[in-house]
Amino acid sequence: MKDNFNLLMFAALLLPYSNICQAEQEHNNPQAIYVDYTDSSSSIGELYDFFDVSVRTERGNPVEKPATLGRKAKVNTVRMLGGWYNQDLTADTYQWDGKNFVYNFDAATERIDKWLDNDWEVFQIVLDNPPWAFQKGYNFVDEPDGVNYLKKDRVGVYGNGLPPVDAKVWNQYIQSFISHLIDKYGKEQVVSWRFRVGSEIDTRPQHWSATRQEFFDHYENTVNAIHSVLPTATVGVHFREATHKSNYVDYKGNKEDAYAPYFVSWAKSNNIPYDFLAISYYPMVAHPDHMDMDVVYNSEIAPILEHKDFNKNASFEIHEFKYIVEMKRAGFSSVESSHGSAFFAMFSKMMLENKIDRLFQWGNVKRDGFYNSEALTQLALISMVGNDMYSNRVEGTSKLDGNVVDGIFTKRSDDSGFDLLMFNFNKNDFSYQDDEPFSMSLKVDRSTGSSFRYRVAQIDKSNNREQMFLAEHERSNIPVSQGGWKKEGIHELTPIADALNDEGKAVFNDVKLKYSDANDLQWSEWKHSKTISDSQSGTMIKISNKIPSFSVQKYEIIWDK
């Protein structure tokens, strides 16, 4: 009786975060998660900070900071050289003044200064769109003739997507640009910045309207120019995923698919250096394979990263990422519900286990300072940086078909305890279902009966700002045709900015600041327990719990002194 009473009291104290239960009473075969912290071969390595760089275009405002989580903001600056879609020639760093071509590098350094003056670290400068003067001398045609570029591609979706008309002039221009940066900021500062040649080049014609080989030649020319001035500069490239297919017909009448697998072979054959190779990743809710981490790695990443010719000294990175409902002409509608929080946790596990070095993000915080869904998961993850990460195995079946219940499991480097990040995600069914029961068995190098305490923080729909608003305002879930605010024919995960009519958005903007708790992790009280002995496995920490649909649970487990 005393043991049963203690168990009931323990369960009651932990609600609502950890609802301890006899899992088998609710589900005949709940999922069981095993981690062996005593086996060095299970160690994956140190959990590293892979999500500290923000992508900003020429329209980016340095005053608007991302969720830095205690770190200094780092920026990857896109379209630094000019060549913008709006054809604002004053922004170009290479200009035709009517008689001569002239450099206007102050236009770039003024942009750089704005980032530095607002306490950003310049992490990477992107050398993508050539200034418009580099088109002077081209003849454009209406139909592919194999010689001249197409008239319709003179101005791309993002500006100038054509190679410079004169490669030698471009080489000298890049040398002069790097020299200008060194003169202004000092060699030590500039060598700490990275340089990327191009943006998502095989997205044609939006970013590039020439051919694959023309880009490879352009890359070689550019990297040679940079290294002639700054031999130790870090330089790399950005493509699409390995499965990318294109229907674009270029000026030679050809279609070309993903460039990256060809690039790594070409670079090796020609001894062309690259310090990093990046792709983009925009998982879309309408495509389940985009949210299947095994498929994503094996089909979109491994054909590049595990290619026999991939430079083993180069890092593999993702330079554009957003979990989206749909892609727009030059933007997207992103997932803002707790689905995004759970997805980012699952995605992070894949990133870390496969040693993908960096993930560049678009904004992860709203202009009013509120975190978006993936930033909440990053808030939970950031304190785990520096811990030792361990592999795990999952046994049993989920209660709801398709639910992925898994986690990231780490051990603190000072051996004081463990930090775990659990998630529950389903790529096929976005509805909220019954909680998933699971058990965790953690094998530890301690004696039986060792005391520990733990607490749990949960990220779910109940502390997601947009979902809190939707739950409190009935009209947000009623179609406009029936007197509500919800637009017709939208996906269930469409964010408020795209899902509600003007009246609904106005109400949201009036009350959104009251959801201040949505920016913090809400922790349970500390609970106390002891390790137990397993006759077959050794000394174990065992915890049973439930995890709601599309949620994240952060566990802190600390040894008592």
Side-chain angles (χ1 to χ4, degrees):
M1 286 293 292
K2 183 178 180 181
D3 289 343
N4 288 338
F5 176 77
N6 288 340
L7 179 61
L8 288 171
M9 289 297 293
F10 185 64
L13 286 169
L14 198 55
L15 289 171
Y17 296 105
S18 81
N19 292 320
I20 294 177
C21 64
Q22 296 288 338
E24 59 270 18
Q25 291 178 2
E26 302 192 20
H27 185 50
N28 291 332
N29 189 22
Q31 290 187 294
I33 297 170
Y34 298 90
V35 184
D36 188 349
Y37 284 114
T38 70
D39 182 3
S40 60
S41 66
S42 296
S43 176
I44 296 173
E46 183 177 305
L47 192 151
Y48 51 91
D49 185 357
F50 61 88
F51 50 92
D52 61 341
V53 179
S54 299
V55 183
R56 295 294 184 268
T57 70
E58 72 278 9
R59 300 184 301 275
N61 184 354
V63 175
E64 297 174 354
K65 295 290 181 66
T68 57
L69 309 177
R71 303 161 300 181
K72 188 169 185 176
K74 296 180 181 179
V75 66
N76 170 60
T77 63
V78 180
R79 293 187 278 279
M80 178 57 70
L81 301 178
W84 298 350
Y85 173 77
N86 63 8
Q87 299 182 70
D88 176 8
L89 300 184
T90 63
D92 280 5
T93 52
Y94 182 73
Q95 299 176 350
W96 172 251
D97 68 2
K99 295 181 179 180
N100 300 293
F101 291 102
V102 295
Y103 296 149
N104 180 34
F105 294 138
D106 286 345
T109 52
E110 286 173 7
R111 293 190 280 274
I112 292 172
D113 287 344
K114 288 180 180 178
W115 295 106
L116 297 175
D117 292 345
N118 282 278
D119 200 31
W120 287 72
E121 176 184 330
V122 173
F123 183 77
Q124 182 167 281
I125 293 174
V126 181
L127 311 175
D128 44 3
N129 294 18
W132 289 109
F134 277 109
Q135 279 195 8
K136 190 172 179 60
Y138 280 142
N139 177 47
F140 294 96
V141 296
D142 292 319
E143 300 294 333
D145 65 2
V147 177
N148 300 294
Y149 294 117
L150 299 175
K151 189 179 297 182
K152 67 182 180 66
D153 294 331
R154 190 188 73 80
V155 180
V157 170
Y158 301 103
N160 183 13
L162 291 171
V165 67
D166 190 320
K168 290 183 179 180
V169 172
W170 173 264
N171 184 287
Q172 185 57 53
Y173 156 81
I174 291 295
Q175 290 188 49
S176 298
F177 177 61
I178 301 299
S179 296
H180 177 82
L181 295 180
I182 292 172
D183 289 344
K184 181 172 176 59
Y185 301 106
K187 184 176 181 180
E188 183 178 356
Q189 173 78 292
V190 177
V191 81
S192 73
W193 300 342
R194 308 193 329 171
F195 297 90
R196 191 182 79 201
V197 183
S199 295
E200 218 181 67
I201 284 299
D202 37 357
T203 300
R204 299 195 309 159
Q206 292 93 324
H207 288 292
W208 187 252
S209 299
T211 66
R212 181 174 64 224
Q213 188 57 51
E214 284 176 289
F215 175 73
F216 292 176
D217 293 342
H218 176 68
Y219 174 83
E220 180 181 9
N221 188 35
T222 306
V223 73
N224 286 342
I226 295 170
H227 284 160
S228 69
V229 179
L230 202 61
T232 59
T234 301
V235 186
V237 67
H238 178 201
F239 297 116
R240 289 288 298 273
E241 69 281 3
T243 58
H244 173 63
K245 302 293 182 184
S246 175
N247 290 319
Y248 169 72
V249 178
D250 61 31
Y251 76 102
K252 292 193 173 185
N254 297 323
K255 297 180 182 180
E256 294 178 337
D257 295 329
Y259 282 10
Y262 295 97
F263 177 84
V264 297
S265 293
W266 167 81
K268 183 175 181 179
S269 296
N270 294 277
N271 198 29
I272 307 299
Y274 60 98
D275 297 298
F276 59 86
L277 187 153
I279 64 169
S280 293
Y281 177 47
Y282 288 100
M284 297 181 66
V285 297
H287 300 281
D289 281 355
H290 290 191
M291 299 167 283
D292 185 317
M293 293 299 99
D294 288 337
V295 172
V296 169
Y297 181 76
N298 291 323
S299 65
E300 299 185 2
I301 295 173
I304 305 168
L305 179 57
E306 297 182 13
H307 193 289
K308 63 182 179 62
D309 293 332
F310 187 83
N311 177 7
K312 303 307 179 185
N313 294 318
S315 61
F316 184 89
E317 305 176 352
I318 296 176
H319 282 191
E320 291 184 28
F321 161 79
K322 202 69 176 179
Y323 182 35
I324 64 174
V325 177
E326 63 177 343
M327 187 68 76
K328 301 179 180 180
R329 182 178 184 272
F332 43 74
S333 178
S334 60
V335 175
E336 297 295 343
S337 61
S338 73
H339 299 75
S341 300
F343 179 82
F344 193 84
M346 180 176 68
F347 174 48
S348 296
K349 182 178 177 71
M350 187 275 286
M351 289 273 299
L352 291 163
E353 288 184 340
N354 291 289
K355 309 295 185 184
I356 299 172
D357 289 87
R358 289 191 176 275
L359 175 75
F360 291 9
Q361 302 178 83
W362 296 104
N364 66 352
V365 66
K366 301 299 182 183
R367 290 181 177 177
D368 55 19
F370 278 83
Y371 294 169
N372 66 13
S373 56
E374 62 254 29
L376 287 171
T377 299
Q378 292 163 19
L379 178 62
L381 190 60
I382 189 67
S383 63
M384 297 167 67
V385 170
N387 289 2
D388 297 321
M389 184 174 170
Y390 282 74
S391 61
N392 68 286
R393 72 179 191 273
V394 180
E395 296 181 357
T397 59
S398 58
K399 188 174 181 179
L400 176 66
D401 185 42
N403 274 358
V404 176
V405 177
D406 206 342
I408 298 171
F409 301 88
T410 71
K411 179 181 179 181
R412 297 188 176 187
S413 58
D414 61 2
D415 202 29
S416 63
F418 311 90
D419 294 292
L420 322 176
L421 196 72
M422 295 293 298
F423 56 83
N424 181 5
F425 186 83
N426 194 312
K427 63 184 175 67
N428 297 312
D429 185 346
F430 295 124
S431 62
Y432 289 88
Q433 305 286 337
D434 291 341
D435 296 353
E436 281 283 355
F438 69 94
S439 64
M440 289 190 293
S441 297
L442 315 177
K443 186 175 181 181
V444 295
D445 189 17
R446 293 283 174 123
S447 59
T448 301
S450 296
S451 299
F452 65 90
R453 64 189 184 277
Y454 71 100
R455 63 176 183 168
V456 187
Q458 185 163 291
I459 302 168
D460 59 24
K461 65 178 180 178
S462 71
N463 51 22
N464 177 283
R465 179 172 69 157
E466 292 208 358
Q467 289 174 289
M468 292 164 73
F469 172 84
L470 296 174
E472 293 178 6
H473 295 80
E474 184 178 0
R475 291 182 67 191
S476 64
N477 299 297
I478 299 174
V480 173
S481 62
Q482 299 176 30
W485 300 333
K486 188 176 182 179
K487 295 178 182 178
E488 312 285 343
I490 60 170
H491 191 277
E492 60 188 300
L493 299 189
T494 302
I496 284 176
D498 297 320
L500 302 187
N501 64 8
D502 290 342
E503 182 184 358
K505 286 187 286 188
V507 174
F508 175 67
N509 288 329
D510 285 342
V511 303
K512 62 186 180 182
L513 294 180
K514 79 173 188 176
Y515 303 111
S516 59
D517 286 348
N519 254 26
D520 296 313
L521 297 178
Q522 306 300 313
W523 289 95
S524 70
E525 296 295 326
W526 286 102
K527 304 306 166 189
H528 298 268
S529 189
K530 294 183 178 181
T531 59
I532 64 173
S533 176
D534 186 302
S535 59
Q536 294 182 335
S537 300
T539 304
M540 310 292 289
I541 290 175
K542 290 203 173 186
I543 300 174
S544 294
N545 202 354
K546 295 179 181 178
I547 185 167
S549 299
F550 304 103
S551 68
V552 177
Q553 290 177 342
K554 169 73 176 293
Y555 290 76
E556 291 186 346
I557 304 172
I558 308 296
W559 294 116
D560 289 335
K561 295 182 179 180

